[in-house]
Amino acid sequence: MTHPASNALHAAPQVRTVVCSHDCPDSCSVKVGVQAGRIVSITGDPEHPITRGFLCGKVNRYAERVYSPLRVPHPLRRVGAKGEGRFARISWDEALDEIVARFKAVAGKWGPEAILPYSYGGTIGRVGMEIGTPFFHRLGASRLARTICTGSAVAGHRMTTGTGVHTPLEEAARAKLILIWGLNAVATHIHFMPFVKEARARGARLIVIDPYRTATARQADQYVPIRPGTDAALALGMMRHLIEAELIDRAFVERYTHGFPELAAAAAPFTPQHVEAVTGVPAPDVVALAEAYGREKAAFIRLGLGLSRHDNGGMMVRTIACLPALTGAWEAPGGGLLCYAWAGAVENAAFLTRPWPGDPPARTVNMVRLGEALTELDAPPVQALYVYNSNPAAIAPEQTRVLAGLAREDLFTVVHEQLFTDTTDFADIVLPATTFMEHDDVLSSYGHRYLQLSRAAIAPQGEARSNLDVFWELARRFGFDSPPFTLGFDEIVRGLFKPEVAEREGCDLEGLLAGKPVPSGAPAHPWRAGLKTPSGKFEFVSAQMTALGLPGVPAHVPSPEGHLDNGRRRRYPLQLLTPPSQHFLNSTFGETPTGRRLEGPPRIKLHPHDAARRGLADGAPCRVFNDRGECWLACEVTEDVQAGVAVAESIWWPKLLRGRKGINQLTSAAFTDLGECAQFHNALVDVEPAVPPTA
Ligand SMILES: Nc1nc2c(c(=O)[nH]1)N[C@H]1C(S)=C(S)[C@@H](COP(=O)(O)OP(=O)(O)OC[C@H]3O[C@@H](n4cnc5c(=O)[nH]c(N)nc54)[C@H](O)[C@@H]3O)O[C@H]1N2
Ligand SMILES: Nc1nc2c(c(=O)[nH]1)N[C@H]1C(S)=C(S)[C@@H](COP(=O)(O)OP(=O)(O)OC[C@H]3O[C@@H](n4cnc5c(=O)[nH]c(N)nc54)[C@H](O)[C@@H]3O)O[C@H]1N2
Ligand SMILES: [Mo]
């Protein structure tokens, strides 16, 4: 008889299926080969309708992350100064007891609202992302408004369409014209590209609208460079031409839209010349774009979230979302618009996100304003912070204030993390977290319609525990002994879906629980039954907008930081965009040597004129600065960006940059017009040659 261990070593690898739970619209089904408990291969699931057998580079190399020397191996307690990242090993029991004791002390002295949870999309598994919420609700801690990513896009889109109106991603394969608008799909949504390729093989044209020539723009039949934050003006110019040239679908407009006369009046001033003056898109190109869009009903707009992260981002999204209602593209096979997908009414997120009966009321703190929350908020001040699924020291705007807050000696900070990030450096207690290879979850996607269960492929590394395990264990220690804290993983998953809706919409919940990727079953053509807007129609004019003090009709609203010729613009003449990089995912993968090598040196793209005016050659070290902060990068001189625009693909780990100053030193925590998102692409800066550090 062979020894079981050597048997396992020699056995063929077992193939397990997990779902990538990183914050990405693709939510891929991943085949993992496991031998003797270790990952030996990672490939895309060929059976999954969107993954189609391939993965992004980041996840192909996922073993590098799972077995990274930077993994947090066991619980730790701080022994150095805040920010230093010096710790001593403690046991899980010691760590949890200390958290309970400190939380009780803070709640006793200041009230439970002095405890603030901070989390976002480390995992977008429905369980891992939401499972902390019931715990903090029961505790009476401050609640967190999680609007940093989709706040303005979702709000803007809803103003025009109500909830849940999007064209399934696969439809793009049938389109005759595809507009990728403010999205660098090659970097952030790679599983969309095969559908684009399929459409193009059948003769479709691809147009990309973006302020800089991205990897996606390079693949396009036509690239339309646009001044940042001016897309509403371009869309209005298109609408004006569509109306004037009779390229609209009168019957669709009549039946399914509200406020056409007001829209026509709003679009009238947007002559091609005016649009050129605002957007920088030449007048003939504006007309050509409108012609192309109006003459092809099977036109698919893939609208990115990037442009929603401007001061006027909600309005831009709302405005662009009016286009397919004007031409009736929604009705054409292959036509319509996808901004973010939505699993539909079958999902019951409220199961975890809504307070349960008896939970005390509490104030809400917005995650975009973490710096302010930690340094200024009073009555009560934040005295304890629990971070999971997030790396705020890198990703939150106004980083100077965020770091000042995290450095507070009187703040008790817990960070549940996979790796030693900038945020763990400031923790009093660090808890090791599992990766999606090591825990169970269930995924819906914000890019496609598929739901899928994910079962761990390998055992937790070191002493890592999942979010579910940790929160349920904390709940137990606090004596929370009623639902949901008494439910196991399978029961929670069942609670997250509505069987009656699944039945009605034909969503195969049993298949989902058996591990199959299943489409959510959200109804097609929801406008035919009436939309969830006040008028039940696509709203060209919106009373909800006016109620918020915003224009009721689509409008170009210039941003005070960006478009207006004010004092700030004169001092800081470059508009900085900080969009995602290909080899990192927000700050995640910032630790992997391969990701860093492929990304190259941390840098800022400048147009040759802007670089020359500042005496900067390609590769020269430079200091990027504004009133909020500064960040040292290398200058990349390239015509891929327009003059007056600077692009720093992000997010590098601050601790790898000079002075631990990351790109979010420069970004503002001011909210967008709708939905309280952050203005990650709406920061004015200047750049100068770097002076070497003195010390
Ligand atoms: N590799 C990689 N993939 C990712 C991420 C990552 O960091 N790296 N992030 C993930 C996350 S959290 C999200 S939310 C998603 C989506 O992540 P997003 O941040 O929404 O990224 P994109 O959708 O690609 O949109 C960014 C694009 O919008 C453009 N843009 C900025 N301002 C404007 C403007 O005013 N007008 C126009 N037309 N374009 C503008 C930028 O130049 C850029 O090309 O991607 C996910 N996928
Ligand atoms: N300048 C600039 N800033 C931005 C953006 C930008 O475009 N430009 N994009 C913004 C956007 S769209 C977003 S969504 C936010 C993203 O902000 P975050 O959600 O904070 O994203 P990440 O930087 O990826 O950090 C997630 C962390 O969660 C950890 N993690 C992963 N899985 C788990 C788990 O199961 N349990 C626990 N406990 N931890 C886990 C990872 O190791 C990682 O360190 O950043 C925003 N910040
Ligand atoms: Mo995001």
Side-chain angles (χ1 to χ4, degrees), residues 23 120 148-150 305 309 446 586:
D23 190 346
Y120 198 65
I148 202 163
C149 174
T150 56
L305 300 169
R309 299 188 189 120
Y446 64 94
N586 301 316

Side-chain angles (χ1 to χ4, degrees), residues 367-401:
M367 66 181 303
V368 171
R369 300 255 169 100
L370 179 64
E372 180 188 321
L374 295 181
T375 56
E376 280 179 35
L377 193 63
D378 211 351
V382 176
Q383 293 294 97
L385 177 72
Y386 186 110
V387 181
Y388 62 107
N389 285 347
S390 186
N391 186 8
I395 63 89
E398 289 185 12
Q399 190 172 87
T400 330
R401 291 168 97 191

Side-chain angles (χ1 to χ4, degrees), residues 445-521:
S445 157
Y446 64 94
H448 58 72
R449 305 175 289 159
Y450 290 87
L451 310 171
Q452 194 178 355
L453 197 71
S454 181
R455 294 283 187 191
I458 55 168
Q461 296 300 291
E463 293 184 13
R465 292 193 189 172
S466 69
N467 296 351
L468 173 62
D469 288 352
V470 176
F471 283 117
W472 264 210
E473 184 53 35
L474 282 170
R476 198 183 63 75
R477 283 165 195 252
F478 271 96
F480 302 161
D481 55 5
S482 58
F485 309 106
T486 49
L487 305 178
F489 174 79
D490 290 345
E491 291 165 297
I492 295 169
V493 170
R494 284 191 182 269
L496 284 169
F497 297 95
K498 296 182 192 147
E500 56 312 335
V501 179
E503 174 103 40
R504 190 176 72 224
E505 295 184 349
C507 172
D508 177 12
L509 278 191
E510 290 314 311
L512 171 68
L513 297 171
K516 283 196 283 184
V518 301
S520 69

Side-chain angles (χ1 to χ4, degrees), residues 236 239 243 258-268 319 322 326 540-541 553-554:
L236 280 158
M239 293 183 206
I243 296 167
H258 169 66
F260 176 73
E262 290 90 334
L263 179 78
T319 301
C322 290
L326 206 51
F540 292 146
V541 64
V553 286

Side-chain angles (χ1 to χ4, degrees), residues 231-295:
D231 300 68
L234 177 61
L236 280 158
M238 289 169 70
M239 293 183 206
R240 180 185 186 275
H241 182 81
L242 291 170
I243 296 167
E244 199 182 69
E246 285 289 339
L247 291 172
I248 65 173
D249 182 335
R250 290 257 168 215
F252 189 93
V253 167
E254 192 67 32
R255 196 147 166 213
Y256 297 122
T257 73
H258 169 66
F260 176 73
E262 290 90 334
L263 179 78
F270 286 84
T271 60
Q273 294 69 26
H274 178 53
V275 174
E276 175 173 337
V278 175
T279 65
V281 179
D285 293 3
V286 176
V287 176
L289 189 59
E291 281 284 319
Y293 188 73
R295 300 215 175 269

